[in-house]
Structures are given as structure tokens and as C-alpha cells.
Amino acid sequence: LFPYTTLFRACYNYGRYVDQALESALAQTYADKEIVVVNDGSSDDSLEVISRYADRVQIIDQPNAGSIAAYNRGYQAASGDAIVLLDADDVLAPGALEQVAAIWTPQTAKVQWDLRIIDAAGRDLGRKFCNFDVRYDAQRVRDAFRRTGTYRWPVSAGNAYARWFADELFPLSPAHGPD
């Protein structure tokens, strides 16, 4: 059983994108989810756009403190057992949470996926980041980490973290940011 999921977004002056981002999160058909949005002191129309969703998302409006502080505030407010980090210019693919749920186990620390590169209008540019090979499975991740101390991973978006694992990382610090 996939746990209750929290998606949270950090937003700073991304009013032109955050509507698309929120629509993609709200369109997830996985029922047991919450969406937390942290407006990090935006001076554009971000808060106005986010406020249109006030009946469906939890909004935190704070003075500008930077992305790490926004992630920490969102994490503190999140109540889900699985955490998906998204930024205000990200669009979550339809069915993403169902795909994560299909492979989730109680021992899962993290699920990661490729990010499609899109333009400002949300059009797919036909490129991916990280561009994972289908053979890059959990065993290859472990082997890479043992060999090099790191592995190929997406930036903050493109990951679902188990709270039991993320609790060891949060709160983040400037030396240990989300990317």
C-alpha cells in the first residue's frame, strides 16, 4: 500500500508558471494526497495565483528566505508518509503517483524518475534529465554509490522520498540543499 502522499512546491516569483504546476498536482488521480505550497515572499502575482487554489491546497506565505527555508517550511507542514518535492515551474506527469505506488514497498527510501524538459509554455522539447537507462535499477544505484560515493539522481523534482528517510535529511541547511 502506497502511503499518504504530500506534494509540496516552493514558489518565488513564478506566477507565470505556478498555475500549470498546481493543475498538474491536482490532476493526479492518486486519491490520498495533500498539496502544500510555500510562497517565499514573491513580489509578482504568485500569491494571487496560488490563492485561487486555497480550497484545495495548503498555502504558506512567508517573507523571502530562500529555497532551502521554503523547502524546510513545506516539509514541516507536510503530513504524508511519502514526500514529492516540486518547484513552481515543474509539471507532474499524469499518473506519476500511481506509477510510484506500483513499485513502493515499506522498505523504499526513494523513488526517482526522469524529468522531461519543457519550454515556458509546457511543450515537451524531446529531452530528458537524467535520461535514465532502463538497466539503471536499484542494484546499479547501490553499486555506483559503493564505488563512487554518489549515483545519478534528478534534482529536487523527480523524487518521492519516504518520510522515515527524509526525516534524517530535514531540516536542510545551505551546505545540504535539496539539489
Side-chain angles (χ1 to χ4, degrees):
L1 178 65
F2 188 59
Y4 181 73
T5 305
T6 298
L7 298 104
F8 72 86
R9 300 189 173 277
C11 182
Y12 176 72
N13 288 345
Y14 269 45
R16 66 186 182 271
Y17 301 118
V18 72
D19 186 50
Q20 234 181 312
L22 285 168
E23 288 293 336
S24 77
L26 289 165
Q28 293 298 305
T29 55
Y30 188 80
D32 204 4
K33 65 181 181 292
E34 78 175 336
I35 302 168
V36 177
V37 184
V38 179
N39 180 54
D40 189 37
S42 296
S43 59
D44 68 354
D45 66 341
S46 295
L47 185 57
E48 179 183 327
V49 173
I50 295 165
S51 294
R52 290 186 230 147
Y53 298 90
D55 61 330
R56 295 179 282 167
V57 305
Q58 179 183 349
I59 301 169
I60 298 170
D61 184 32
Q62 67 180 28
N64 181 252
S67 62
I68 292 173
Y71 275 118
N72 287 337
R73 186 81 186 272
Y75 189 77
Q76 182 181 31
S79 60
D81 291 328
I83 307 296
V84 176
L85 303 176
L86 297 166
D87 291 322
D89 62 342
D90 296 328
V91 176
L92 196 58
L97 296 182
E98 283 81 2
Q99 290 178 15
V100 171
I103 60 173
W104 194 272
T105 71
Q107 295 78 32
T108 300
K110 175 184 160 188
V111 173
Q112 62 186 32
W113 56 89
D114 268 326
L115 304 174
R116 290 180 299 159
I117 308 297
I118 59 175
D119 67 12
R123 291 182 297 259
D124 190 339
L125 297 177
R127 298 188 323 250
K128 295 180 194 174
F129 179 84
C130 293
N131 204 24
F132 291 114
D133 181 305
V134 294
R135 296 169 294 169
Y136 196 65
D137 60 7
Q139 186 59 51
R140 288 184 187 238
V141 168
R142 280 191 287 277
D143 292 345
F145 194 80
R146 283 187 192 113
R147 227 179 24 259
T148 66
T150 190
Y151 64 98
R152 182 186 269 181
W153 74 93
V155 293
S156 54
N159 299 287
Y161 294 97
R163 180 172 289 279
W164 64 261
F165 176 77
D167 279 346
E168 298 296 318
L169 305 173
F170 280 86
L172 302 174
S173 67
H176 185 83
D179 292 350

